[in-house]
Coordinates of all heavy atoms in Angstrom, one line a residue:
M1 N -23.2 73.8 -15.7 CA -24.3 72.9 -15.2 C -25.0 73.5 -14.0 O -24.3 74.0 -13.0 CB -23.6 71.6 -14.8 CG -24.7 70.6 -14.4 SD -24.1 68.9 -14.4 CE -23.8 68.6 -12.7
S2 N -26.3 73.6 -14.0 CA -27.0 74.2 -12.9 C -27.0 73.3 -11.7 O -27.0 72.0 -11.9 CB -28.5 74.5 -13.3 OG -29.2 74.9 -12.2
I3 N -27.1 73.8 -10.6 CA -27.1 73.0 -9.3 C -28.7 72.8 -9.0 O -28.9 72.1 -8.0 CB -26.3 73.7 -8.2 CG1 -25.9 72.6 -7.2 CG2 -27.1 74.8 -7.5 CD1 -24.7 73.1 -6.4
L4 N -29.6 73.4 -9.7 CA -30.9 73.2 -9.5 C -31.5 72.2 -10.4 O -31.2 72.1 -11.5 CB -31.7 74.5 -9.6 CG -31.3 75.7 -8.7 CD1 -32.0 77.0 -9.2 CD2 -31.6 75.4 -7.3
I5 N -32.5 71.5 -9.8 CA -33.1 70.6 -10.7 C -34.7 70.6 -10.4 O -35.0 70.7 -9.3 CB -32.6 69.1 -10.6 CG1 -33.3 68.2 -11.6 CG2 -32.8 68.6 -9.1 CD1 -32.6 66.9 -11.8
R6 N -35.5 70.6 -11.5 CA -36.9 70.7 -11.3 C -37.6 69.4 -11.0 O -37.3 68.4 -11.7 CB -37.5 71.4 -12.5 CG -39.0 71.6 -12.3 CD -39.6 72.4 -13.4 NE -41.0 72.5 -13.1 CZ -41.9 73.5 -13.6 NH1 -41.4 74.3 -14.3 NH2 -43.1 73.4 -13.3
V7 N -38.4 69.4 -9.9 CA -39.1 68.2 -9.5 C -40.5 68.7 -9.3 O -40.7 69.7 -8.4 CB -38.6 67.5 -8.3 CG1 -39.6 66.3 -8.0 CG2 -37.2 66.9 -8.6
D8 N -41.5 68.2 -10.0 CA -42.9 68.7 -9.8 C -42.9 70.2 -10.1 O -42.5 70.6 -11.2 CB -43.4 68.4 -8.5 CG -45.0 68.5 -8.3 OD1 -45.6 68.7 -9.3 OD2 -45.4 68.4 -7.2
D9 N -43.3 71.0 -9.2 CA -43.4 72.5 -9.5 C -42.3 73.3 -8.7 O -42.4 74.4 -8.5 CB -44.8 73.0 -9.0 CG -45.1 72.9 -7.6 OD1 -44.3 72.1 -6.9 OD2 -46.1 73.4 -7.2
K10 N -41.2 72.5 -8.3 CA -40.2 73.2 -7.5 C -38.9 72.9 -8.2 O -38.5 71.9 -8.7 CB -40.1 72.6 -6.1 CG -41.5 72.8 -5.4 CD -41.4 72.0 -4.0 CE -42.8 72.0 -3.4 NZ -43.8 71.1 -4.2
F11 N -37.9 73.9 -8.0 CA -36.6 73.7 -8.3 C -35.8 73.3 -7.0 O -35.8 74.1 -6.0 CB -35.9 75.0 -8.9 CG -36.3 75.3 -10.3 CD1 -37.3 76.2 -10.5 CD2 -35.8 74.5 -11.3 CE1 -37.7 76.4 -11.9 CE2 -36.2 74.7 -12.6 CZ -37.1 75.6 -12.9
I12 N -35.2 72.2 -7.0 CA -34.5 71.6 -5.9 C -33.0 71.8 -6.0 O -32.5 71.3 -7.1 CB -34.8 70.2 -5.7 CG1 -36.3 69.9 -5.7 CG2 -34.2 69.7 -4.3 CD1 -37.1 70.6 -4.6
P13 N -32.3 72.5 -5.1 CA -30.8 72.4 -5.1 C -30.3 71.0 -4.8 O -30.8 70.4 -3.9 CB -30.4 73.4 -4.0 CG -31.6 74.1 -3.6 CD -32.8 73.1 -3.9
L14 N -29.4 70.5 -5.6 CA -28.9 69.1 -5.5 C -28.3 68.8 -4.1 O -28.5 67.7 -3.5 CB -27.8 68.8 -6.5 CG -28.2 68.8 -8.0 CD1 -27.1 68.6 -8.9 CD2 -29.2 67.6 -8.2
Y15 N -27.8 69.8 -3.5 CA -27.1 69.6 -2.2 C -28.2 69.5 -1.0 O -27.7 69.1 0.1 CB -26.1 70.8 -1.9 CG -26.7 72.2 -1.8 CD1 -27.4 72.7 -0.8 CD2 -26.5 73.0 -3.0 CE1 -28.0 74.0 -0.8 CE2 -27.0 74.2 -3.0 CZ -27.7 74.7 -1.9 OH -28.3 76.0 -1.9
R16 N -29.4 69.7 -1.4 CA -30.4 69.5 -0.3 C -31.0 68.1 -0.3 O -31.8 67.7 0.6 CB -31.6 70.5 -0.5 CG -31.1 72.0 -0.2 CD -32.3 72.8 0.3 NE -33.0 72.2 1.5 CZ -34.3 72.3 1.7 NH1 -35.1 72.9 0.9 NH2 -34.7 71.8 2.9
V17 N -30.7 67.3 -1.3 CA -31.2 66.0 -1.4 C -30.5 65.0 -0.6 O -29.3 64.9 -0.7 CB -31.1 65.5 -2.9 CG1 -31.6 64.1 -3.0 CG2 -31.9 66.4 -3.8
M18 N -31.2 64.3 0.3 CA -30.6 63.3 1.2 C -30.7 61.9 0.5 O -29.6 61.1 0.6 CB -31.5 63.2 2.5 CG -31.6 64.4 3.2 SD -30.1 65.3 3.6 CE -29.5 64.2 4.9
W19 N -31.8 61.6 -0.1 CA -31.8 60.3 -0.9 C -32.9 60.3 -1.9 O -33.8 61.2 -1.9 CB -31.9 59.1 0.1 CG -33.0 59.0 1.1 CD1 -32.7 59.4 2.4 CD2 -34.4 58.9 1.0 NE1 -34.0 59.3 3.1 CE2 -35.0 58.9 2.3 CE3 -35.2 58.6 -0.1 CZ2 -36.4 58.8 2.4 CZ3 -36.6 58.4 0.1 CH2 -37.1 58.5 1.4
V20 N -32.9 59.3 -2.8 CA -33.8 59.2 -3.9 C -34.4 57.8 -3.8 O -33.7 56.9 -3.7 CB -33.2 59.5 -5.2 CG1 -34.2 59.4 -6.3 CG2 -32.7 60.9 -5.3
A21 N -35.7 57.7 -3.9 CA -36.3 56.3 -3.8 C -35.9 55.5 -5.0 O -36.0 56.0 -6.1 CB -37.8 56.4 -3.7
A22 N -35.6 54.2 -4.7 CA -35.4 53.3 -5.9 C -36.6 52.7 -6.4 O -36.6 52.2 -7.5 CB -34.4 52.2 -5.3
T23 N -37.7 52.6 -5.6 CA -38.9 52.0 -6.0 C -40.0 53.0 -5.9 O -40.0 53.9 -5.0 CB -39.2 50.8 -5.2 OG1 -39.2 51.1 -3.8 CG2 -38.1 49.7 -5.4
P24 N -41.1 52.9 -6.7 CA -42.3 53.8 -6.5 C -43.0 53.6 -5.2 O -43.0 52.5 -4.6 CB -43.1 53.5 -7.7 CG -42.7 52.2 -8.1 CD -41.3 52.0 -7.7
H25 N -43.5 54.7 -4.7 CA -44.3 54.7 -3.5 C -45.5 53.8 -3.6 O -46.2 53.8 -4.6 CB -44.7 56.1 -3.1 CG -45.6 56.1 -2.0 ND1 -45.1 56.0 -0.6 CD2 -46.9 56.4 -1.9 CE1 -46.2 56.2 0.1 NE2 -47.3 56.4 -0.5
F26 N -45.7 53.0 -2.6 CA -47.0 52.2 -2.5 C -47.3 52.1 -1.1 O -46.5 51.5 -0.3 CB -46.9 50.9 -3.2 CG -48.1 50.0 -3.0 CD1 -49.3 50.3 -3.7 CD2 -48.2 49.1 -2.0 CE1 -50.4 49.6 -3.6 CE2 -49.3 48.3 -1.9 CZ -50.5 48.5 -2.6
C27 N -48.5 52.5 -0.6 CA -48.8 52.3 0.8 C -50.2 51.6 0.9 O -50.6 51.3 2.0 CB -48.9 53.7 1.6 SG -50.1 54.8 1.0
G28 N -50.9 51.4 -0.2 CA -52.2 50.7 -0.1 C -53.4 51.5 0.3 O -54.5 51.0 0.3
E29 N -53.0 52.8 0.7 CA -54.3 53.6 1.1 C -55.0 54.0 -0.1 O -54.5 54.5 -1.1 CB -53.7 54.8 1.9 CG -53.3 54.4 3.3 CD -52.9 55.6 4.1 OE1 -53.5 56.7 3.9 OE2 -52.0 55.5 5.0
E30 N -56.3 54.0 0.0 CA -57.2 54.2 -1.2 C -57.0 55.6 -1.7 O -57.2 55.8 -2.9 CB -58.7 53.9 -0.8 CG -59.3 52.8 -1.5 CD -60.6 52.4 -1.0 OE1 -61.5 53.4 -1.1 OE2 -60.8 51.3 -0.5
D31 N -56.9 56.6 -0.8 CA -56.9 58.0 -1.2 C -55.5 58.5 -1.4 O -55.3 59.7 -1.4 CB -57.7 58.8 -0.3 CG -57.2 58.7 1.1 OD1 -56.3 57.9 1.4 OD2 -57.6 59.5 2.1
C32 N -54.5 57.6 -1.5 CA -53.2 58.1 -1.6 C -52.9 58.7 -3.0 O -53.3 58.1 -4.0 CB -52.2 56.9 -1.4 SG -50.5 57.4 -1.6
T33 N -52.4 59.9 -3.0 CA -52.1 60.6 -4.3 C -50.7 60.5 -4.7 O -50.3 61.0 -5.8 CB -52.5 62.1 -4.1 OG1 -51.6 62.6 -3.1 CG2 -53.9 62.3 -3.8
R34 N -49.9 59.8 -3.9 CA -48.4 59.6 -4.3 C -48.1 58.3 -4.9 O -47.0 58.0 -5.2 CB -47.6 59.8 -3.0 CG -47.9 61.0 -2.2 CD -47.7 62.2 -3.1 NE -47.6 63.5 -2.3 CZ -47.7 64.7 -2.7 NH1 -47.6 64.9 -4.1 NH2 -47.7 65.7 -1.9
E35 N -49.1 57.5 -5.0 CA -48.8 56.1 -5.5 C -48.2 56.2 -6.9 O -48.7 56.8 -7.8 CB -50.1 55.3 -5.6 CG -49.9 53.8 -5.5 CD -51.2 52.9 -5.2 OE1 -51.8 53.2 -4.2 OE2 -51.5 52.1 -6.0
G36 N -47.2 55.4 -7.1 CA -46.4 55.4 -8.4 C -45.4 56.4 -8.5 O -44.6 56.5 -9.5
Y37 N -45.3 57.4 -7.6 CA -44.4 58.4 -7.6 C -43.2 58.0 -6.7 O -43.3 57.2 -5.8 CB -44.9 59.8 -7.1 CG -45.8 60.4 -8.2 CD1 -47.1 60.1 -8.4 CD2 -45.2 61.4 -9.0 CE1 -47.9 60.6 -9.3 CE2 -46.0 62.0 -10.0 CZ -47.3 61.6 -10.1 OH -48.1 62.2 -11.1
Y38 N -42.0 58.7 -7.0 CA -40.8 58.3 -6.3 C -40.5 59.5 -5.3 O -40.5 60.7 -5.7 CB -39.7 58.2 -7.3 CG -39.8 57.0 -8.2 CD1 -40.7 57.1 -9.3 CD2 -39.1 55.9 -7.9 CE1 -40.8 55.9 -10.1 CE2 -39.2 54.7 -8.8 CZ -40.0 54.8 -9.9 OH -40.2 53.7 -10.7
E39 N -40.2 59.1 -4.1 CA -40.0 60.1 -3.1 C -38.5 60.5 -3.1 O -37.6 59.7 -3.3 CB -40.2 59.4 -1.7 CG -40.0 60.5 -0.6 CD -40.5 60.0 0.8 OE1 -40.8 58.8 0.9 OE2 -40.5 60.9 1.7
I40 N -38.4 61.9 -3.1 CA -37.0 62.4 -3.0 C -37.0 63.2 -1.7 O -37.7 64.1 -1.4 CB -36.8 63.4 -4.2 CG1 -36.7 62.6 -5.5 CG2 -35.4 64.1 -4.0 CD1 -36.6 63.4 -6.7
R41 N -36.1 62.7 -0.8 CA -36.0 63.2 0.6 C -35.1 64.4 0.6 O -34.0 64.2 0.2 CB -35.7 62.1 1.5 CG -35.5 62.6 3.0 CD -36.8 62.9 3.6 NE -37.6 61.8 4.0 CZ -38.5 61.7 4.9 NH1 -38.9 62.8 5.5 NH2 -39.1 60.6 5.2
L42 N -35.6 65.4 1.2 CA -34.7 66.6 1.4 C -34.3 66.8 2.9 O -34.8 66.1 3.7 CB -35.5 67.9 0.9 CG -36.0 67.8 -0.5 CD1 -36.8 69.1 -0.7 CD2 -35.1 67.5 -1.5
E43 N -33.4 67.7 3.1 CA -33.0 68.0 4.4 C -34.3 68.4 5.3 O -35.2 68.9 4.7 CB -32.0 69.2 4.4 CG -30.6 68.7 4.0 CD -29.8 70.0 3.7 OE1 -30.3 71.1 3.9 OE2 -28.5 69.8 3.5
Q44 N -34.1 68.3 6.5 CA -35.2 68.7 7.4 C -36.5 68.0 7.3 O -37.6 68.6 7.5 CB -35.3 70.2 7.3 CG -34.1 71.0 7.8 CD -34.0 72.5 7.2 OE1 -34.9 72.8 6.5 NE2 -32.9 73.1 7.6
G45 N -36.4 66.8 6.8 CA -37.7 65.9 6.7 C -38.6 66.3 5.6 O -39.7 65.7 5.6
E46 N -38.3 67.2 4.8 CA -39.2 67.5 3.7 C -39.1 66.5 2.6 O -38.0 65.8 2.4 CB -38.9 68.8 3.1 CG -39.1 70.0 4.0 CD -38.7 71.3 3.3 OE1 -39.4 71.7 2.3 OE2 -37.7 71.8 3.7
S47 N -40.1 66.3 1.8 CA -40.0 65.3 0.6 C -40.6 66.0 -0.6 O -41.6 66.8 -0.4 CB -40.7 64.1 0.8 OG -40.1 63.3 1.9
V48 N -40.1 65.7 -1.7 CA -40.9 66.0 -3.0 C -41.1 64.7 -3.6 O -40.4 63.7 -3.4 CB -40.1 67.0 -3.8 CG1 -40.1 68.4 -3.2 CG2 -38.7 66.5 -4.2
W49 N -42.1 64.8 -4.6 CA -42.4 63.5 -5.3 C -42.2 63.7 -6.8 O -42.7 64.5 -7.4 CB -44.0 63.3 -5.0 CG -44.1 63.0 -3.5 CD1 -44.2 64.0 -2.5 CD2 -44.1 61.8 -2.8 NE1 -44.4 63.3 -1.3 CE2 -44.2 62.0 -1.5 CE3 -43.9 60.4 -3.3 CZ2 -44.2 61.0 -0.5 CZ3 -43.8 59.4 -2.3 CH2 -44.1 59.6 -1.0
A50 N -41.5 62.7 -7.3 CA -41.1 62.8 -8.7 C -41.7 61.7 -9.4 O -42.0 60.6 -8.9 CB -39.6 62.7 -8.8
N51 N -41.9 61.9 -10.8 CA -42.4 60.8 -11.7 C -41.0 60.1 -12.1 O -40.0 60.5 -11.8 CB -43.2 61.3 -12.9 CG -42.4 62.4 -13.8 OD1 -41.2 62.2 -13.8 ND2 -43.2 63.2 -14.3
L52 N -41.2 59.1 -12.9 CA -40.0 58.2 -13.2 C -38.9 59.0 -13.9 O -37.8 58.9 -13.6 CB -40.4 57.0 -14.0 CG -39.3 56.1 -14.4 CD1 -38.6 55.5 -13.1 CD2 -39.9 54.9 -15.3
A53 N -39.4 59.8 -14.9 CA -38.4 60.6 -15.6 C -37.6 61.6 -14.8 O -36.5 61.8 -14.9 CB -39.1 61.3 -16.8
E54 N -38.4 62.3 -13.9 CA -37.8 63.2 -13.0 C -36.8 62.5 -12.0 O -35.7 63.0 -11.7 CB -38.8 63.9 -12.1 CG -39.6 65.0 -12.9 CD -40.9 65.4 -12.3 OE1 -41.4 64.8 -11.3 OE2 -41.3 66.5 -12.6
R55 N -37.2 61.3 -11.5 CA -36.4 60.6 -10.6 C -35.1 60.2 -11.3 O -34.0 60.3 -10.7 CB -37.2 59.3 -10.1 CG -36.6 58.6 -8.9 CD -35.3 57.8 -9.1 NE -35.4 56.9 -10.2 CZ -35.6 55.6 -10.1 NH1 -35.7 55.1 -9.0 NH2 -35.7 54.8 -11.2
D56 N -35.1 59.7 -12.6 CA -33.9 59.3 -13.3 C -33.1 60.5 -13.5 O -31.8 60.4 -13.4 CB -34.3 58.7 -14.7 CG -34.9 57.3 -14.5 OD1 -34.8 56.6 -13.4 OD2 -35.5 56.7 -15.5
E57 N -33.7 61.6 -13.9 CA -32.9 62.8 -14.2 C -32.2 63.2 -12.8 O -31.0 63.6 -12.8 CB -33.8 63.9 -14.6 CG -33.2 65.3 -14.7 CD -32.3 65.4 -15.9 OE1 -32.3 64.5 -16.8 OE2 -31.6 66.4 -16.0
M58 N -32.9 63.1 -11.7 CA -32.3 63.5 -10.4 C -31.1 62.6 -10.1 O -30.0 63.1 -9.7 CB -33.4 63.4 -9.4 CG -32.9 63.7 -7.9 SD -32.2 65.4 -7.7 CE -33.7 66.2 -7.2
S59 N -31.3 61.3 -10.2 CA -30.2 60.4 -9.8 C -29.0 60.6 -10.8 O -27.9 60.5 -10.3 CB -30.6 59.0 -9.7 OG -31.3 58.5 -10.9
N60 N -29.2 60.8 -12.1 CA -28.1 61.1 -13.0 C -27.4 62.3 -12.6 O -26.2 62.4 -12.5 CB -28.7 61.3 -14.4 CG -29.2 60.0 -15.0 OD1 -28.7 58.9 -14.5 ND2 -29.9 60.1 -16.0
R61 N -28.2 63.4 -12.3 CA -27.5 64.7 -11.9 C -26.7 64.5 -10.6 O -25.6 65.1 -10.5 CB -28.6 65.7 -11.8 CG -29.2 66.1 -13.2 CD -28.3 67.1 -13.9 NE -28.1 68.4 -13.1 CZ -29.0 69.3 -13.2 NH1 -30.1 69.2 -13.9 NH2 -28.8 70.4 -12.5
L62 N -27.3 63.8 -9.7 CA -26.6 63.6 -8.4 C -25.2 63.0 -8.6 O -24.2 63.3 -8.1 CB -27.4 62.9 -7.4 CG -28.6 63.7 -6.7 CD1 -29.5 62.8 -6.0 CD2 -27.9 64.7 -5.8
E63 N -25.2 61.9 -9.4 CA -24.0 61.2 -9.7 C -23.0 62.1 -10.4 O -21.8 62.0 -10.0 CB -24.3 60.0 -10.7 CG -24.8 58.8 -9.9 CD -25.0 57.5 -10.7 OE1 -24.1 57.3 -11.6 OE2 -25.9 56.8 -10.6
L64 N -23.4 62.9 -11.3 CA -22.5 63.8 -12.0 C -21.9 64.8 -11.0 O -20.8 65.2 -11.0 CB -23.2 64.5 -13.2 CG -23.6 63.7 -14.4 CD1 -24.4 64.4 -15.3 CD2 -22.3 63.2 -15.0
W65 N -22.9 65.3 -10.2 CA -22.5 66.4 -9.2 C -21.5 65.9 -8.2 O -20.6 66.6 -7.8 CB -23.8 66.8 -8.5 CG -23.6 68.0 -7.6 CD1 -23.1 69.2 -7.8 CD2 -23.9 67.9 -6.2 NE1 -23.1 69.9 -6.6 CE2 -23.5 69.2 -5.7 CE3 -24.4 66.9 -5.4 CZ2 -23.7 69.4 -4.3 CZ3 -24.6 67.2 -4.0 CH2 -24.2 68.5 -3.5
Q66 N -21.7 64.6 -7.8 CA -20.8 64.0 -6.8 C -19.4 64.0 -7.3 O -18.3 64.0 -6.6 CB -21.2 62.6 -6.4 CG -22.5 62.5 -5.6 CD -22.4 63.0 -4.3 OE1 -21.2 63.2 -3.7 NE2 -23.5 63.3 -3.6
G67 N -19.3 63.8 -8.7 CA -18.0 63.8 -9.3 C -17.3 65.2 -9.5 O -16.3 65.3 -10.0
G68 N -17.9 66.2 -8.9 CA -17.4 67.5 -9.1 C -18.2 68.4 -10.0 O -19.2 67.9 -10.6
L69 N -18.0 69.6 -10.0 CA -18.8 70.5 -10.8 C -18.2 70.8 -12.1 O -18.8 71.6 -13.0 CB -19.0 71.9 -10.0 CG -19.8 71.8 -8.8 CD1 -19.7 73.1 -8.0 CD2 -21.3 71.5 -9.1
G70 N -17.2 70.2 -12.6 CA -16.6 70.3 -13.9 C -17.6 69.8 -15.0 O -18.5 69.1 -14.7
P71 N -17.3 70.2 -16.2 CA -18.1 69.7 -17.3 C -18.0 68.1 -17.4 O -16.9 67.7 -17.4 CB -17.6 70.4 -18.5 CG -16.2 70.9 -18.1 CD -16.2 71.0 -16.6
P72 N -19.1 67.5 -17.4 CA -19.1 66.0 -17.4 C -18.7 65.4 -18.7 O -18.3 64.3 -18.8 CB -20.6 65.6 -17.1 CG -21.3 66.8 -17.6 CD -20.5 68.0 -17.4
D73 N -18.7 66.2 -19.8 CA -18.5 65.6 -21.1 C -17.1 66.0 -21.6 O -16.8 66.0 -22.8 CB -19.6 66.0 -22.1 CG -19.7 67.5 -22.2 OD1 -19.1 68.2 -21.4 OD2 -20.5 68.0 -23.1
E74 N -16.2 66.4 -20.7 CA -14.9 66.9 -21.2 C -14.1 65.7 -21.7 O -14.0 64.6 -21.1 CB -14.1 67.5 -20.0 CG -12.9 68.3 -20.4 CD -12.2 68.9 -19.2 OE1 -12.9 69.3 -18.3 OE2 -11.0 69.2 -19.4
E75 N -13.5 65.9 -22.9 CA -12.8 64.8 -23.5 C -11.5 64.5 -22.7 O -10.7 65.5 -22.5 CB -12.5 65.1 -24.9 CG -13.7 65.3 -25.9 CD -14.2 63.9 -26.3 OE1 -13.4 62.9 -26.4 OE2 -15.5 63.8 -26.5
P76 N -11.2 63.3 -22.4 CA -9.9 63.0 -21.7 C -8.8 63.3 -22.8 O -8.9 63.0 -24.0 CB -9.9 61.5 -21.4 CG -11.1 61.0 -22.0 CD -12.0 62.1 -22.6
G77 N -7.8 64.0 -22.4 CA -6.7 64.3 -23.2 C -6.9 65.6 -24.0 O -6.0 65.9 -24.8
E78 N -8.0 66.2 -23.9 CA -8.3 67.3 -24.7 C -7.3 68.5 -24.5 O -7.0 69.2 -25.5 CB -9.7 67.8 -24.4 CG -10.3 68.8 -25.3 CD -11.7 69.2 -25.0 OE1 -11.9 69.4 -23.8 OE2 -12.5 69.3 -25.9
N79 N -6.8 68.6 -23.3 CA -5.9 69.7 -23.1 C -4.4 69.4 -23.2 O -3.5 70.2 -22.9 CB -6.2 70.3 -21.6 CG -7.6 70.8 -21.5 OD1 -8.1 71.5 -22.3 ND2 -8.1 70.5 -20.3
L80 N -4.2 68.3 -23.7 CA -2.8 67.8 -24.1 C -2.4 68.3 -25.5 O -3.3 68.4 -26.3 CB -2.5 66.3 -23.9 CG -2.9 65.7 -22.5 CD1 -2.7 64.2 -22.6 CD2 -2.0 66.4 -21.4
W81 N -1.1 68.5 -25.7 CA -0.7 69.0 -27.0 C -0.3 67.8 -27.9 O -0.1 66.7 -27.4 CB 0.5 69.9 -27.0 CG 1.6 69.4 -26.3 CD1 2.6 68.6 -26.7 CD2 2.0 69.7 -24.9 NE1 3.5 68.3 -25.7 CE2 3.2 68.9 -24.6 CE3 1.4 70.5 -23.8 CZ2 3.9 69.0 -23.3 CZ3 2.1 70.5 -22.6 CH2 3.2 69.7 -22.4
Ligands
ZN1 ZN1 -49.3 56.5 0.1

């Protein structure tokens, strides 16, 4: 499993992600280009903006990654005789 995930035009290493927005961005500004996108906050105050599919993929991958780097679909008991 790769530790990189693509958001917009960038590959983001999972360990750089601080948090992922639960709700889409809305600030009410007329010329806002981020409306409806989900903010993904990185270290050092950087952000990237994900669509819903990218946001879901990111949060899924983070959950799997938190559980370790082993294969997520390993069958329990597979290595028992
Ligand atoms: Zn905005």
Side-chain angles (χ1 to χ4, degrees):
M1 182 163 104
S2 172
I3 206 162
L4 297 174
I5 185 163
R6 184 169 174 164
V7 176
D8 196 9
D9 62 347
K10 303 173 189 68
F11 285 103
I12 310 295
L14 291 174
Y15 56 81
R16 290 207 60 210
V17 176
M18 309 302 288
W19 50 257
V20 177
T23 56
H25 173 77
F26 175 78
C27 64
E29 285 183 34
E30 244 173 62
D31 58 351
C32 181
T33 58
R34 306 302 190 189
E35 204 169 302
Y37 283 82
Y38 292 80
E39 184 170 9
I40 294 175
R41 176 71 75 164
L42 309 178
E43 290 172 351
Q44 294 159 0
E46 290 178 75
S47 291
V48 290
W49 296 87
N51 63 29
L52 180 57
E54 289 169 336
R55 197 284 309 256
D56 286 348
E57 174 75 8
M58 174 63 87
S59 55
N60 288 340
R61 290 279 299 276
L62 283 169
E63 280 187 37
L64 292 171
W65 181 63
Q66 294 290 343
L69 290 171
D73 57 353
E74 192 175 337
E75 296 281 331
E78 194 178 40
N79 296 323
L80 301 178
W81 57 80

